Structures are given as C-alpha cells and as structure tokens.
Amino acid sequence: MDKFDLFSPLDYRYLSGGLRKRAEIYLSENARVHYQAKVEAALVRALSRQGVCSKKIALEVEKAAFNIRAEEVYAEEARIKHDVRALANVLRSKVSAQAKPFVHFSATSYDIVDTASAVRYKEAVLELVVPQLRRLLNIWIKIALREKKTLQIGRTHGQHAEPITFGFAMASHVNRLGKAISNMEYCAQKLEGKCSGAVGGYNASSILVKNPRKLEKDVMDELGLVSALHSTQIVPPESLLDLLHSTIEAFTVLANFSDDMRHLQRSEIAEIAESFGSDQVGSSTMPHKRNPINFENVKSLWKKFMPLMNTFYMDAISEHQRDLTNSASARFIPELFVALVVSSERLEKVCSNLVVDRAAMMANFDSSRESVVAEPLYLLLAKHGHTDAHEAVRQITLKAKEKGKTVFETASQTNGVMELIQKFSRPELELLKNPESYIGLCVEKTEEVCDYWKKRPK
Amino acid sequence: MDKFDLFSPLDYRYLSGGLRKRAEIYLSENARVHYQAKVEAALVRALSRQGVCSKKIALEVEKAAFNIRAEEVYAEEARIKHDVRALANVLRSKVSAQAKPFVHFSATSYDIVDTASAVRYKEAVLELVVPQLRRLLNIWIKIALREKKTLQIGRTHGQHAEPITFGFAMASHVNRLGKAISNMEYCAQKLEGKCSGAVGGYNASSILVKNPRKLEKDVMDELGLVSALHSTQIVPPESLLDLLHSTIEAFTVLANFSDDMRHLQRSEIAEIAESFGSDQVGSSTMPHKRNPINFENVKSLWKKFMPLMNTFYMDAISEHQRDLTNSASARFIPELFVALVVSSERLEKVCSNLVVDRAAMMANFDSSRESVVAEPLYLLLAKHGHTDAHEAVRQITLKAKEKGKTVFETASQTNGVMELIQKFSRPELELLKNPESYIGLCVEKTEEVCDYWKKRPK
Amino acid sequence: MDKFDLFSPLDYRYLSGGLRKRAEIYLSENARVHYQAKVEAALVRALSRQGVCSKKIALEVEKAAFNIRAEEVYAEEARIKHDVRALANVLRSKVSAQAKPFVHFSATSYDIVDTASAVRYKEAVLELVVPQLRRLLNIWIKIALREKKTLQIGRTHGQHAEPITFGFAMASHVNRLGKAISNMEYCAQKLEGKCSGAVGGYNASSILVKNPRKLEKDVMDELGLVSALHSTQIVPPESLLDLLHSTIEAFTVLANFSDDMRHLQRSEIAEIAESFGSDQVGSSTMPHKRNPINFENVKSLWKKFMPLMNTFYMDAISEHQRDLTNSASARFIPELFVALVVSSERLEKVCSNLVVDRAAMMANFDSSRESVVAEPLYLLLAKHGHTDAHEAVRQITLKAKEKGKTVFETASQTNGVMELIQKFSRPELELLKNPESYIGLCVEKTEEVCDYWKKRPK
Amino acid sequence: MDKFDLFSPLDYRYLSGGLRKRAEIYLSENARVHYQAKVEAALVRALSRQGVCSKKIALEVEKAAFNIRAEEVYAEEARIKHDVRALANVLRSKVSAQAKPFVHFSATSYDIVDTASAVRYKEAVLELVVPQLRRLLNIWIKIALREKKTLQIGRTHGQHAEPITFGFAMASHVNRLGKAISNMEYCAQKLEGKCSGAVGGYNASSILVKNPRKLEKDVMDELGLVSALHSTQIVPPESLLDLLHSTIEAFTVLANFSDDMRHLQRSEIAEIAESFGSDQVGSSTMPHKRNPINFENVKSLWKKFMPLMNTFYMDAISEHQRDLTNSASARFIPELFVALVVSSERLEKVCSNLVVDRAAMMANFDSSRESVVAEPLYLLLAKHGHTDAHEAVRQITLKAKEKGKTVFETASQTNGVMELIQKFSRPELELLKNPESYIGLCVEKTEEVCDYWKKRPK
C-alpha cells in the first residue's frame, strides 16, 4: 500500500508522525470501531447490573471488545452488508456460547453508533483538540505579554487609524480563541447518548429488563455521557451540532489570525514574518521569495472545512424516527477535527518562531504620526467647548495635506481652533506632540486578557 | 409607493399585519436607527455619571434620541456619506449648543453600531422570536399529550419499523424545539457590547474621562448588556455568531417537523393533513388537490436562510482592528429572525388545526403488524437462550413472506425455535399476538418530555 | 500501514477494487505528481522546438518524468519545503548535466501546477467520470424504455396528481443526467492552462525564448489544452469553477433520483425496491427490515460534497497576482470527482437489479382513480363552454367525497354540469371512465427523450 | 408606508432612483405578475393558432393581461389561497364570457410560473444585468489601456514578486469579467420553458388540442424561449441553475477586484484610492480617515449572496413530479440579480473616478528593485550553463541581504557565478541593471485582452 495512492490530503499529506498517532486514537476508522465496541461492552455491563446476565459474561464481552479491530468487522460486513451487526457478530464470535445472546442485547445499531460517536468526539475534543488549541493559546499569550508595549499603528479598513500595541492586537486573538476553547469544552460535555432502541420508545428493552431507563442511564454513566431526554432511533442532533459549530468557530479564529499575519507580512508592511529554514525555497522561480505559506495554508483549510456546517444542518433533518441520509456524510466528521488540529499545530510551530519586527512597526506608525493626531485633537476641541469639532478637524486635515503642513501646525493657525488649543492642559498638548503615547489602556487590557485566559481552569 | 414594486418577499409578501407590526419594532431600519439613538443616549447618561457633562444634558439627548427616525438620518447621510456620523449630526441638531459636544463624545461608530445590534437582537430574540416559538411549542405539547396513546407505526429509512405513538413522535419535536429555544435565550443573554473606541484601546475615552472602563460598563449596564473582555473597533464576533447558529438550529427543527408532516400527508400515508379553507384552491388545474403548502413553505424558507451561516462565518473574519466587509452583509441579519418568526407563526396556525387521522394511523400500523413481530420474537428467543436468534428470525421472515404465512406461525413451525417459544411467558406470547402493545415507554416518555418543557421557567 | 488508521472514508471505505484502480490513475497524489511531471516534460519539448535545447535533452527529460513517483518528491520537499521545486530537483537528479538547466526552465510553479490540474481533471472527467455516468445513464434509458407503458400515478407535493408512466418518470432523470454529462464534457474541454511565468507577464520566458506566447501554445498543444487569454501567476479560476459546478450539478441529479427512489420504496408506496442479498441484514435489531441504504448513501454523499461549491467560490478570489490561500483547499478537489464516481457506480449496481413492482404501481393509481378524473372533467367542461368549470369541479369533488360517490356520478347529477356532459364525445366520456388512459404523451415523450440521449455522440 | 419600516436593505437602502426603476421592470413583484400574465396571454394566442379559440379572444386576453398589477392578484389570492389561480381569476374577470374558458386553458400553474421566470430572468439578464456589467467592463478596459505602461510591482502571497504594469493587472479583471458576462448571456439564452401540464405528460393538452407539443412550441416561440426536452410539473432546474452559477461567478469577479483595490488602498501601499467627496466623512471619530467603503461594500454583498448557491442546489432536488419546497426560496432569486447590479453600478461610479497614484506604484517597485533581479539572474545563469542556478541565486540573495549589498554586486563577486555573468549579452546585463524593463509582454497582453473583449459582439 502506497500512501500516495490515496485521495485525501489529510491521509497522505497533512499529518506528521506525532500528531497522526495522537489523532488516530480518536479519529481513525479503527477508533470508530474501538469506541463502538466499548459501547457494546458498556451495554453488557449495564445488563449485568440489572441481573440480565452475569458479571462474568460482562467481563468476557469487555475483554473481547478491547482488542477488536476494524479489519475483522469489515470482513464480516462484506458478507452481511450491515456494519453494526457485523461488529456484533465479530464480538459474538469471540465469546462463549453463554455470552453470545447478550451481545448487543436489546440494542439497535444507532444506540451503539450515536453513543459511540458522542464518547469518541467528547474524548477527541477534550483530550486531543482542546489541549492542542491550548498550546497555541499559550504561545499567543506569551507573545501578547512580551509585546504588550510594542507600538503598532491600529488599522481599520486597511487604513491607519489610531495607535495600539502589538500585544494588544494579539490579545484580541487570545480572547477569541480562549472563548472558542471554552465553548468547545462546554459543548463536548453536553454530548448525549441513547439506549432507547429502534424507534426510541424502549420497545425492546421494555420486554427484556426491569428498568429500561435505568439501563440507559447505566450505560451512559459507564461512558461519562448524559442521556438524551428524548431520542428516536437516533440522538437528537443538536448536541453534536453545537459542538461542530463551536469547532468551526475556533477554526475561524485561527483563520482570522492567519489573515492578519499574512497582511502584516506584506512587503510594504513587513512587521511580521514566518521564520524561514536555511534550506527552504520560497519560490520555484524567484529565489528571493519568503512567503507566508503556513498562514496561507491555515486559511485555505478553513475555506475547505467551514462550509461543512451546511452539511451538518442538512443532516440534522431526518425523516420520522430517522432516515439514513446522514450516515455517509457523518463518517467525514472526524476530518473536521483533524483539520483543526493540523492547523493549530502548524500555527503553534510558526508562532513559536514568529519574527516580530519592532522597528518596522515603529516606522509604519511614524508614517501616520501626523494624521493620528486628528482624533485626539477633535476630542480635545470638543471637550474644550468647540461645537462642531469633528467637522473643523476634518477641514484641517484636508488643508494640512494640501499645504504639506502638520495637522497640529495647521490647527494652531486656524481661527476658532487656535484659541481653544491655548486652553489645552500640558498633558493634552504633550499628547498631540507625542502621539505614540495615545494608546489608551492597551497595555493594561493586554495584561487583563492574558491573565484571564491563563487562569481559566481546565 | 406600491409595495409590489419591492424586491424582498419578506417585505411584500410574507408578513401579515400583526406580526409585521411586532417585527418592525426590532427588525426594521427604523428600529436599527432607534436602537442606535438609544445607545447614543446611554453614552451621554454614562458620561454625566462621570461628571463629564450635566444630567440635564443627558436628559436632553435622551429626549432627542427618543423620537429620531431613519428618514432624517438618511437625509443627512446622503450629504456626508457616513451613517453613524449622520445620526450624531441629527442628534446634535436637536439639542442645545451646550449639549452638542457631548453627543457621540469619545465614541467611534462601531461603539454605537455593534452595541445597538446587541441590544436590538437581544430584545428581538427575547421579546419577539422566543415568545413566538413558545406559542408553537405549547401547541406541539398539547398535540403530543392529546395523542400520547395514538398508535402509529414508527418509521426508519421510510420503512415501517416498530410501533410508537403519534404523541411520542411529537415529543421529539417538542424536545428539540424546547432545547433550541433555551439555546437562543442563553445566547441572547451573552450578547456583548463595547465602548472602547476606534481601535479598542480606549484611546479616546482615556483622555476624556477618568475611568474609561467604568464608562463602558455604565453604558452596558444602562442597556442590559455585558462588555466584551476585549474588543477592537468591533465586538468580537463570537457572541453574535453563537446566537445566529442557535437561530438556524431552531429553524432546522421547524424544517424537520415540516418535512415529517409533508410525508405523513402523502396520499398513501394520509395520517396528517393541513386543514383546508372552504374556498381554498389546491391546484390551478387539479381541483381535487390538497397540498401541504404551509409545511412546504417553511422547508423552503429554511433552504433559503440556512446557508447564511457561511456568510456569518466569513463575516467573523475581519482584518486587524476591523475591515468593513461585514457591514452590508450584517444589515441583512434581521431577515433571518423575520423568516423564523414568519415560519413559526405559520406552523402555529397550521398546527392549531392539524388534522390527525387516527384511523389511517391504525390502518398503516395494521399493514405491518406482521413484520413488527420480528424484533420482539428475536429478542425473546435470545432471552430464552437461542444463540443465533437474529439470523434465525431473519430466515423466518423471508420464509413467511415467501409462503404467505405470518411470522409467528412460521416461527412456531421452525425447528430450534418452536421449542423455545413454548418457554415464553404468557405476557410474552401476548405481545407477539398483539404487537400494538409493543410500544415500550412511549406514553410515559411523552408525558415526561412535555412536562419538562412546560415547567421550564421563562 | 493499516488502512483503517486513515481518516477519510474515501480512502478506507468507499472505493472498491476496480474503481479504486481506475480512480487512482487520475485522482491520487501519485497522479498529481505524474501529471506535473508530464507538464515539465511538455515544457522541455516545447523549449526544444524553439531551439533552446536539443531534442535529445527533451527526450531525456520525458523519460525521467515518466517514472517519477510522489514518494521521491515528498522526500525532497521535506528538505526544501517547496513541492514544485522538489519535483524539479528530482527530475534534475535523473538527467544529465547538460539537461539539468532546462528542467523547469522559464517556468514558475503554477505554470506546472495549474496546467497539470487542467490536464488531469480534463482526462479524469472525460475518461473516468463521464464514462461512469454514461453507464448509469444507459441503465436508466433501459429502464425508461422497458417501463414506458407502466402506469404510475404522478405525484406533486407528495399528493397524487395525474397519471404518468414509470418510464416517463425515469425519462426525467435520463434527460437531466444526459444534460449534466454534456455540461461536464463541455466544461472539461474548456479547461485552460498557462505558461506565462511568475506574475503572468511572460517576464522570464521573454528573456529566454524568441516567442514566449508560441512557447505557451506549444506546451498546451502537447497537452491538449487551450491557453488562458490572460493569466497571472495562476490560470483564471472560471474554467475550473464551471467544471466543478457542472460536477455538483450532475451529483444533484443523482441525489434527486435517490430521493425519489427512497420515497417510492416507502412501506406504504412500495413501488420500487433495492434488491437484497440473501445473506444481507437490514437492521441489527429488526430482522425483517429492507432499507434503501444505497439511495440513502448517495443522498448523504451529496450532502457532504455539495457545499464545497462555497469553497470553490472563495478560492476563486485571489489577491493581486495570486495569494496561496487556495492551495490546500484545492488539493481536496479530486475527492469531489471520487465521491461522484463512487455514487454513480453504486447507483449503477442498484439500478441493474432494481425491483419495479408494477402491481403496486397499479394499486396506488387505483386508490386515486376517482380524483384523477377531476382535471379532465374540468377541462372538458370548459371546452364545452362552462364559464367557471374549475370552481364547479372543485365543488363536485368536495361533494363527492362527502357523499361517498364518484366524481363522475356526482357531476352527472349536478345542474349546469350534467347538461354539458351529455355533449361530450365518446372518447371524452371513455376517458372519464378509464382514467388510466389519461396519460397524454408519456409513452412518446419517453421514447423521444431516450432516443435523443442514446444517439448523442460521445 | 414608510420605507424604513421594511426589512430588506435592498428595499430600503441599496437601490438609487434610476437603477431602482430599471430593476423594478424585471425584478419586483409587479414584474413577476406582469410576466406571468404575459405567459397566460401567449398561451391563449397559441391556442388560437390551433383553432381552439378565436384570434379575437386571444387579443382580448392579451389586452387584459397587459395592465394587470400584483395588487389585484394578491387580493384574489387572499380569498382563494392560490396565487396562479388568483391570476387566472383576475384575468377572467377582465374578459368576456366567451373568452373566460380559454384563460389558463390546459395549463397547470407551473406552466405559467416556470415559463414566466425563464422569460423574466432572460430579459433581466440580457437587458439589465449584462448591460450594467458591460458599462463596468468598458471602464475597466479604459483604465487598463490608459495604464498599460504604468509600472507596478507584481504581488504573489502579498509579497513583491516580479514587475508588471497596472494596466496588465486590470486586464486580468477585464478578461475574467468579459468571460463571466459571456457565460451569463449564454446561460440566459438557454433558459427553458414548458407547457406540458400538471405532471409533464401533456395529459390535459392532449385532450384539448390537436398537437400539444406544437402548442408548447408556439407558446415558447411567442416568448423567445426553448421548450424543455422533458419536463414534469416543472422545468428541469439545470438551465436556471447554470444561469445562477454564472451570476455568482460574475459577482465573484467583482469581489476579487474589490479585494485587490482595498489592499492597494492600504496606507502602506496607497497605489489606489476611491475618490472622496468634499463633504464626505470617513470616520465618525477619526476625521482624517479615507476608507475604501465602496470596495468593502461590494465584497460584503458578495459574502451575503454567494452562499445562496447552496439554496439553489437544494432547490434543484424536487420529489417525483415536483414538491413545492422550492417555491418560497425561489421567490428570493431576483434579489441576487439586484445585488449584482447594485454592486456593479457602485463599482462603475468608483472606477470612473479611481485615483491611481503612479508615483506610489513606482516607489513601491523601487523598494524591491533589488530582489526583482533574482529571477532573471537565476534564469540567465541557467541559460549560460550554470547547473544549479536557482540554489546559487538563493544563496546570493541571502548573502546580499546579510551584507547589505545589491544582488547583482554580490553575484558579481561570487565564484562560479561571476565568470558566467561576463558571458551575458549587453541587453541581458542591461536588464539586470534596469529591472523596470523586466515586464515581459505586459503591454502587448493588455492590448490584446482589451481588444478581444471590446470587439466581442453583443
């Protein structure tokens, strides 16, 4: 088997050794089968608690479930054309005659499938995705704190606006990613399972055990899940839907960060750069090129995976007690988590060596030092009683540009304005002369935000 | 102005009198301007609390803000090409010279725009959308309880599966809508505002007031919002994004319900029907037609609005301290809420007169009464020790079909099976003969679900 | 390497032996590299035609290009972090010192990447996808012709409308798939390549060859492509975008067909069924179940892949002479073609053994035989001079239903109507008595449509 | 009626006087009704040609159809709850008793609705949308030709690459828009209509006219449409789907252009600017701001409307002979065309006064003049026999940067390279010293592209 005969870039390209191994545990097809077997085992344990079968049988099934691999199940499925029945058959083939009847006993396929997905995605999120995102978050926090006083011109509409610090800009990403992680954790905790049979009415379990709802609860307790208040053949889609939304939301934060960095790496701006290996080639024809390829990659993966939300909404509609038109599509869900951890790990690497050019930041600020003055000037004029300060300063900036003078100079020679400037306090005048100090609470806010998300309990 | 010269079906077609009036309060362009003026007033009140201006001035601005209408603002915008500055100018034109400087004082446009959107959508959701959805929920609860014992064949893959009750089927929609409503309320409560200036660093307010963060908090308190922990020129998009997701999620529940009803109204199934006016025409050429036009309409509106989630994700990416490429698109957000209340009201009307044909439900069940027996038979055989019961019953159903006999009959004549059947308890045998009793906990679950969502505090 | 450690269902699940082999040729990562090497070879051949290098060198490069595999290129890429330069390096390592300078000579990476994608997708569509879709089309044509006279009740809104034939219903799918195939072929033929260098201005080739545009044209001629009239670093996205749209369009036809079949397989309708293997299990708990799993699967894959169109539109936006944010996402394009051929092959198998239950079709028609009469009755009344025939018949159908009589009977006893009925011609009366003959041109149309798409030249 | 009580920004905000008037003719609700009445009239004319009714009756209906307005139809619809029957009733009320029976005679609603949509969208595209896009195209052509020699640094990955001219960059947009327009025209011409009755089998028309297919063809001929080869109750969706795709494709070209311009207007780049009114306000708080609001607006509208393609694909799936779940959603289709003409007109205005700062373009080029040399140097070294030129120049650029020397200088002092440089021809050396001449065929290509799309026949 040559991995380059495969079709998915996730399978042949984007996962490096360590991350691949960690991701396989939750997100490969073997993992799918493994978690389903785990649910089958939990079911027999719960049955034994109700006295339906012995503890010994439960242990026997658990042991059989532990080592099951996709390959065996697929072989059986090839024969009978039903994946979950195939799993049950394989399990049954591994246990004693006494145990056989209790495998999958009272369950319908989706008791297993949906419950297994809930455990699997819960663990994937809490043990794989969130820890990976946290590593990135921590690097961002480190950068934000380190650069909390690094002056940068704030940009709105791509235009120089008012000054901030680069740390403060990073704090925006910190805050958004922090929230997105919290959201993901919250949604993962809410994932629901079910054990209510073929149409959700506990039809089968009602004739087999004393307390079907207790049986369901016991299975969920074994697995660390909550039961759906109502289910049909399937778990109501909303709990998973919320998790998937929160996942795309987190991805969107990464994409926004990547866009910002791409633009800050533009030749004319050049405040930021991906570090570059000494053997690395930037272009096959332009030997001098240094491209933001990792930021581009993350944005690109986001474009690929974001529209999946439409698939998820469509899949949340299932006719009557369920149709199966969400089965194949749902098999691709793990790819979303994989793409997110791949992107997060990539950014983690890039950000660990992010080149921050403070001199370039200062130079860019300097080029707008003049016009930055416009806002505080307008506000101070208003504060000191000008009744149409915004319009006055708008005129002054136009005039200053036209005459090639500074805004402050021009203002100081404008009737109706110069009189008020004379009333300005010393710190106010100082500010107009040193607009680099016009950064408000950027430093304090950066500290506050980083502090908040650092302390945030797991 | 002829409303049929308009382009949006929401404007010329889908909103009836009462609902239109209620929706205009929150979701029209006048509402947008009204809420923005409200935020401007809250800002001046907060400024007065910090002693920046007098309470009298705050009251004056508040009064001016109260009656502002979009028309005036648009007229000013036509002149200066900036909508929020236009609003500020109109406000300023309505107050005394002393008050003028304090209008919009220290604020940037998006302090107003984003904060106003947060209040507006919060109130629209809590006062318009959720109450409308609750009315629908209550009708569904009523139907579910009324039909909790109405036998219906459960359907999976469009195939008859095991019996449920129609009330139990309704309880699924009740549960999902109940959760979706809770989600919307939760998200609406979390909506964030901001008052941190042009690049989020409190640059302006820092030079104008003693405690800029207090100023921000005061504005939010006035409006019943929380401040974003960090903002740029704009509020971090996630709080609104979550609300929009929860809105589409609720819409999806309505769409799923509509699909189910459409299919139950199929000529061959005919368990459900929209009631039909005596003058109503079903088809322009087939005078006998009775079509599920309202269910179709809701599904269709869902198809139109669901993909908007992609717009919202794209809009959550904004370069640096913000670009403006989410401005025009965000103006269409109210349409989503409008479409949802329109759909909800429509379903409310249809469900108030929903035709439930219990005889048809029974007849459909009867046609599968035979095969329904397969599941309990397999389970009881397993329970009584058959080691390959599923396969045995699969063979029996094939044979029964082939020979034109009942499953139970066939089973009773099958070696290895008939012996076990003789061990069945009386209730077990009874069940196989009266499969209509094979409904598990459908009745109890219906009651539990309806109870839960009825008691759920506002 | 265990294939069940993979993440993509396309890689571990959905491709069976024969189809996998055929798909790998065009759509695997090895294929990507193979086609890129082919373009590199075509470039050197074109260079030799301009006398830049010898024919011998061109042959040498061609030979080296022929056997290149992804594995070698990835190994080199791991070192230098640039995939196309890696390819060039590997090629260079396989040729003589004299040949080395002419490998990739004058080209930029995307001259190779975009041109290779164009050839690859063109051949994949024309040699793999379209032939597969044609096989399906031919089966549909066979069914349509076989069933051209099989009476079926037409359904609109899920309600019985007027009669058609099942062949006529199939002809709808035939026509739509036929057109979609034509569209795909048309778009594949239009795919454009480029050889205009790093920013599209032929900067490099202008200083290296006499006629850069001739060089580009020669490369494209070698590969059977057309040159873009204008390119930047990349080919204008529209030619590929059109192909991708046509691909999703074809997929949509398959999804619609699958939906129709799913519903015709509903227990209450049962006109159609997937054939079922003798060992096949329908449900893990309901041994009697026969589910439309293949139709469900196709619909589900459509839901997964359709929203990709949004990715493609986003990718069509590339800043200035290109950004790279479409690189990773574009690597997933082959998956769309794979999913479509998988779905098509699946339907091909199912349709080859499609169970058509003519008796059930007749029975369903019979249940509406009465109301079918309403349309021709209304029309004939209008034809014979009734001035409000639609309303009259609408009243008659309501009355007939209420009284439990037939529509014709009721009409024959209604004042203002019965007089006109007496004027009806014998064939007109016959029609009202035998509504199964009310099928218009269904048979002729079926033949016409099938004929058209059968004759359609390859 | 206060237009600011409306919900759609298209209705209350984005359409200015002249464009609104032009758009109403095709895209308002009155237009919808008008076109449907037109089809009803065409049907009666076609009936008269078959001798079913007199020419006088046809003329009478045509006259009645001409002046019909949505208001009357909606009033009747309020009574009978069916929009097309309402139209027929209103028409009938306006004609003589003899004419009444022939209104809508033999037709089903969607014979009218789908056919009317086809004519309407065809005319909207050919008479409104395409002419508007052409005006924009012509302005772009003018700019491209005017700036064909204006040196600009080409940018890939946001990084300076090799030089082009600004006209050449514009030619890329010209070419893409030209093709998109052609595509739209082609798709509009292919739009199909139908007149085959309630289930597509000509059931009704077969009993009313001699040649039903001729009747259908006559109706289409009257309207300038082609008949679908096969239809059900509805026209096969693909012809409209293709048009909608081509519309979004054209929109995407506008969005890409807008993105490019936004970035070229960045403070640090400043090569381009929207012109600015003398009273115009850039920011409510920063009086100096000049934002690319129009480019932002177009991008934003694209983000709003692009995802609609998903709606259209979903709507292309309709169960059996049709379900109605595409009815409400299809009513919003005109909005897409409106949004595109709004965006196009906006860009037309901005581009008519686009500020092109040639000095800034030159300055930006100059900042990279050094590294631009890398590509031709590498190529010329290869040409003159260097066997590893790319790697050599990569090393030279790193060294040059490190030592603060020029690339050419550094190369001239590098062993193994300097020897080859001495072999360079005079023009080759000239190029390395004057990299501004390294623009390949940019001027010629610009002329070729503009010429091609100017001459392109309507």
Side-chain angles (χ1 to χ4, degrees), chain B residues 134-175:
Chain B
R134 267 187 201 293
R135 279 196 290 279
L136 179 60
L137 182 69
N138 288 335
I139 288 172
W140 284 1
I141 288 175
K142 212 177 291 175
I143 298 174
L145 291 174
R146 189 185 70 207
E147 310 289 344
K148 70 183 175 188
K149 295 184 177 171
T150 307
L151 194 70
Q152 187 187 35
I153 185 68
R155 291 168 177 95
T156 57
H157 311 254
Q159 302 295 302
H160 287 186
E162 304 299 327
I164 54 171
T165 67
F166 180 54
F168 180 77
M170 286 301 302
S172 168
H173 301 294
V174 166
N175 181 46

Side-chain angles (χ1 to χ4, degrees), chain D residues 7-303:
Chain D
F7 302 107
S8 167
L10 297 179
D11 283 330
Y12 63 72
R13 184 171 180 87
Y14 286 124
L15 264 82
S16 60
L19 185 57
R20 168 174 283 278
K21 281 286 159 238
R22 274 178 287 134
E24 279 172 7
I25 298 170
Y26 308 98
L27 299 170
S28 69
E29 184 64 0
N30 270 323
R32 180 183 161 101
V33 169
H34 168 75
Y35 276 92
Q36 291 181 349
K38 202 169 164 177
V39 176
E40 296 279 9
L43 171 60
V44 185
R45 276 202 305 278
L47 286 167
S48 79
R49 267 203 242 168
Q50 295 232 357
V52 175
C53 66
S54 67
K55 276 195 183 164
K56 202 175 141 260
I57 283 176
L59 275 167
E60 202 186 330
V61 174
E62 194 167 0
K63 211 174 140 191
F66 192 72
N67 287 310
I68 221 160
R69 286 191 65 80
E71 203 174 2
E72 314 165 75
V73 179
Y74 270 69
E76 174 67 2
E77 187 189 347
R79 195 179 66 85
I80 62 163
K81 311 269 183 280
H82 194 290
D83 58 343
V84 181
R85 191 73 232 167
L87 170 66
N89 287 357
V90 170
L91 268 176
R92 283 160 40 84
S93 75
K94 291 175 186 285
V95 297
S96 64
Q98 300 96 297
K100 279 188 208 305
F102 301 103
V103 169
H104 197 73
F105 193 59
S106 86
T108 198
S109 305
Y110 267 71
D111 289 344
I112 308 305
V113 174
D114 269 6
T115 304
S117 292
V119 201
R120 180 155 80 116
Y121 297 148
K122 183 177 176 178
E123 297 187 358
V125 166
L126 298 182
E127 296 169 15
L128 173 71
V129 185
V130 162
Q132 173 55 54
L133 290 171
R134 264 185 204 294
R135 278 196 290 279
L136 179 60
L137 182 69
N138 287 335
I139 288 172
W140 285 1
I141 288 175
K142 212 177 292 176
I143 299 174
L145 291 175
R146 190 186 69 208
E147 310 289 342
K148 69 182 175 187
K149 295 185 177 170
T150 308
L151 193 71
Q152 187 186 34
I153 184 70
R155 291 169 176 94
T156 58
H157 312 255
Q159 302 295 303
H160 287 185
E162 303 300 326
I164 53 171
T165 67
F166 180 56
F168 180 76
M170 287 301 302
S172 169
H173 301 294
V174 166
N175 182 44
R176 292 177 62 190
L177 184 56
K179 275 182 67 174
I181 290 172
S182 292
N183 247 2
M184 286 192 76
E185 288 174 322
Y186 174 74
C187 291
Q189 301 287 1
K190 287 191 319 176
L191 284 173
E192 299 173 345
K194 65 152 296 211
C195 200
S196 59
V199 289
Y202 308 82
N203 310 47
S205 50
S206 289
I207 62 169
L208 300 173
V209 302
K210 279 164 241 151
N211 191 340
R213 277 187 274 193
K214 180 70 169 50
L215 179 72
E216 183 178 53
K217 194 179 176 314
D218 284 352
V219 174
M220 298 309 132
D221 285 350
E222 295 269 357
L223 300 163
L225 293 176
V226 287
S227 305
L229 177 61
H230 182 290
S231 49
T232 58
Q233 183 168 79
I234 52 178
V235 165
E238 283 73 20
S239 64
L240 181 53
L241 201 55
D242 289 343
L243 175 64
L244 295 168
H245 158 65
S246 73
T247 305
I248 293 179
E249 192 170 80
F251 214 151
T252 304
V253 175
L254 269 50
N256 199 148
F257 172 79
S258 300
D259 263 3
D260 279 10
M261 295 300 121
R262 284 198 305 121
H263 290 304
L264 292 181
Q265 188 166 345
R266 282 175 170 278
S267 299
E268 291 88 353
I269 301 180
E271 299 182 354
I272 284 296
E274 295 190 7
S275 75
F276 219 74
S278 63
D279 284 337
Q280 189 171 343
V281 167
S283 152
S284 76
T285 183
M286 294 170 286
H288 61 288
K289 285 295 287 290
R290 300 286 175 273
N291 298 323
I293 53 171
N294 291 296
F295 298 130
E296 290 171 325
N297 180 275
V298 171
K299 179 69 184 298
S300 194
L301 287 176
W302 174 84
K303 289 198 285 182

Side-chain angles (χ1 to χ4, degrees), chain B residues 156 159-160 265 268 289 310, chain C residues 156 160 265 268 289 310:
Chain B
T156 57
Q159 302 295 302
H160 287 186
Q265 187 165 345
E268 291 87 353
K289 286 295 287 290
N310 289 12
Chain C
T156 57
H160 287 186
Q265 188 166 344
E268 290 88 352
K289 286 295 288 289
N310 288 19

Side-chain angles (χ1 to χ4, degrees), chain A residues 143 146-147 150 166 271-273 353-359 361:
Chain A
I143 299 174
R146 189 186 69 208
E147 309 290 343
T150 308
F166 180 55
E271 299 182 353
I272 285 296
N353 293 295
L354 191 71
V355 179
V356 178
D357 188 335
R358 296 180 185 179
M361 286 184 184

Side-chain angles (χ1 to χ4, degrees), chain C residues 405-418:
Chain C
K405 291 194 192 167
T406 72
V407 166
F408 186 65
E409 249 181 312
T410 313
S412 303
Q413 293 159 7
T414 302
N415 285 335
V417 167
M418 60 171 128

Side-chain angles (χ1 to χ4, degrees), chain B residues 155-157 159-160 162 263 265 267-268 278 280 283 285 289-290 296 310 375 390 394 398, chain C residues 155-157 159-160 263 265 267-268 278 280 283 285-286 289-290 296 310 375 390 394 398:
Chain B
R155 291 168 177 95
T156 57
H157 311 254
Q159 302 295 302
H160 287 186
E162 304 299 327
H263 290 304
Q265 187 165 345
S267 300
E268 291 87 353
S278 63
Q280 189 169 345
S283 151
T285 183
K289 286 295 287 290
R290 300 284 174 272
E296 290 170 325
N310 289 12
E375 185 186 72
H390 185 277
R394 199 179 69 83
L398 291 174
Chain C
R155 291 168 176 95
T156 57
H157 311 254
Q159 303 293 304
H160 287 186
H263 291 303
Q265 188 166 344
S267 300
E268 290 88 352
S278 63
Q280 190 170 344
S283 152
T285 183
M286 295 170 286
K289 286 295 288 289
R290 299 287 175 274
E296 291 171 325
N310 288 19
E375 184 184 74
H390 185 277
R394 198 178 70 82
L398 290 173

